Every structure is written in structure tokens, then in C-alpha cells.
Amino acid sequence: MEAKASASLGVILLLVVVIAEAAVSKGSFEDNFSIMWSENHFSTSKDGQIWYLSLDKETGCGFQTKQRYRFGWFSMKLKLVAGDSAGVVTAYYMCSENGAGPERDELDFEFLGNRTGQPFLIQTNVYKNGTGGREMRHMLWFDPTEDYHTYSILWNNHQIVFFVDRVPIRVFKNNGKENNFFPNEKPMYLFSSIWNADDWATRGGLEKTNWKLAPFVSSYKDFSVDGCQWKDPYPACVSTTAKNWWDQYSAWHLSDDQKKDYAWVQRNLVIYDYCNDSQRYPTLPEECSLSPWD
Ligand SMILES: *[C@@H]1O[C@H](CO)[C@@H](O)[C@H](O)[C@H]1NC(C)=O
Ligand SMILES: *[C@@H]1O[C@H](CO)[C@@H](O)[C@H](O)[C@H]1NC(C)=O
Ligand SMILES: *[C@@H]1O[C@H](CO)[C@@H](O)[C@H](O)[C@H]1NC(C)=O
Ligand SMILES: *[C@@H]1O[C@H](CO)[C@@H](O)[C@H](O)[C@H]1NC(C)=O
């Protein structure tokens, strides 16, 4: 009796899962992305919905969107390299160019691997016209290698917010004037890549990548964009008509609930904040005086 009840519950759950999967099914990788380098280090699940990037001693791998966007909500689920991943960096970022050009704008999430059992760190950075140096580092409140978590960027002309599972971990404000810190002009592609960074990533480069454990694999699914797709030559994205939620007044500031979450992150998870590094910046950069609470 009990076995039968749980069996039919199982069937119902299975149905629910199947229906939910169908609802988020989004076509294939090639619709929106291309591989940047080493095609043979990229693979997908059978149904094409999960993507894997792998790193071995020879090379890593990366992909990018075919389209560029200016403002919006950008989101993806990632599961990071499990076990001993010291030296391995998975980057998930937006950038106006597909190279390290001297005038690029960029918004970065970087996941810094670690020895087994030691915490992954998440580093974020903002570049405008080729200038970065705006790092923050956070610990996470979960093990990002155990399951998929959602990493998102909200970008409008008023603020850039980095989210982890919808919790705002970093807020980068504009001041409404012409400035050299807030990227808002250049449309950006979205990228992800995996690479070896054992010259700096883990404990400042002290921990080297253990190549015996290669390949190192990071996994992706559920890419979504709710934003303005750039069209050359004259983009629709220039004049924003405030009809999109990510561009409306309510998206110019954190909500009250988001402020509570953000305060908790600030109290508990910030490892490094360049705005608090007066050794590196005797005069703190201009944007450091802007309040994330406004
Ligand atoms: C993905 O590609 C399809 C087909 O080209 C397009 O209709 C859709 O808008 C794209 N999705 C995103 C999120 O850019
Ligand atoms: C952007 O950077 C380039 C190269 O460093 C520089 O020549 C240019 O003046 C900068 N543009 C602006 C608007 O600051
Ligand atoms: C790796 O673990 C060590 C020891 O817990 C920690 O000090 C370090 O911040 C962690 N992450 C990185 C990227 O070094
Ligand atoms: C900011 O700097 C002070 C003084 O060096 C330090 O005590 C504090 O922990 C730092 N906070 C963050 C979030 O880095």
C-alpha cells in the first residue's frame, strides 16, 4: 500500500519534472553561442541543455554569445569543478570585446578554485575603457561544486548588481554624470571560460594546479537574457524607453528585501574590497564614495 502510494507519487513527480524541463527548454547551444577556442574541450549533455568546458594541461576552453547586449538581466546556472581545483579559474563575464583590448568594458565573475575542502572564492571586477582594478572577493554560503547555482548580472544606467541565487552580493552605482568608472556605452557579449591561473589565483599563486586530476570541468545550463539586444548600425538600445523591468525605477536601487540580503553578505562574506584598500589606493577611486543603499 505504502509502496504503491510512493510509486504513484514518484510518477507524478516525474511528470512535474518533465513538464518543468519542457518549459525551460531553449533550443541548442549554437542558437546563441559560439566556441571561442578549443572546440574539442567543449561538450554537451545528450539533450544539449547542459554544457561542459574542460581544462587540461594543454588548454582550457571558452564560449561567447553571438549577440551583444546593452543593459538587461543576464543569468546562467553554473556548477564548478569539484575536488582539488586549486589554480583553476572559471570566468563568467560580460565584455565589449572578444579579447583583452585596451578600451574594453567588462563585468566579471571569476571563480577561484581551491584545494579539496578549502572554500572557493568568487571575485568580481568592473572595467571601463580598459581600466579594472576594482576587485571584490567573497566567500559563498554553499559549496558551488555540489550543485548548480544561479549567477546573474543586472545592468542599467544606474547600477550594476552581481547576484548569486538572487542575493545581491555587489552593487556598483553610477553617479549620473560623465565619469570614467561606470560602463554604460559599449554593448557587451557574455562569455565563459575555464583556464589555468596557478600563477595568481589560489593563495596568491602558492597553490599549483594538480594536473594529475585533469580534466577539470565546469558545467552550465539555463542561460537567460532579458535585455536589449544590440543591432548595428544604429542600436535600439541607446534610448531606453523604461518599459523594461530591468530599466525601470525599481531596478535602479535595491529593494528593501535585497538590502537586507546585501547587508548580510557585507557583514559575513566579504573577503576583500578594493574600496577598503588604502594601501593600494591612497586616494580611493571616485566610485567608492557612492552608496549602495541609495
Ligand atoms: C537565442 O537565439 C534565438 C535564435 O537566434 C533568438 O531568437 C533568441 O533571442 C536568443 N536568445 C537570447 C537570450 O539571446
Ligand atoms: C579610452 O582609453 C584609450 C586608450 O587607453 C584612450 O586613448 C581614450 O582616451 C580613452 N577614452 C576615454 C573616453 O576615456
Ligand atoms: C583557499 O583556501 C585558503 C585556506 O582556507 C584560503 O586562505 C583562500 O582564501 C582560499 N581561496 C583562494 C582563492 O586562495
Ligand atoms: C576594511 O579595512 C579594515 C582596516 O584595514 C579592516 O579591519 C576590515 O576588515 C576591512 N573590511 C573589508 C570588508 O575588507
Side-chain angles (χ1 to χ4, degrees), residues 136 266 269-278:
M136 278 190 85
Q266 286 294 107
L269 300 173
V270 179
I271 304 278
Y272 176 80
D273 183 349
Y274 78 111
C275 281
N276 196 32
D277 191 344
S278 50

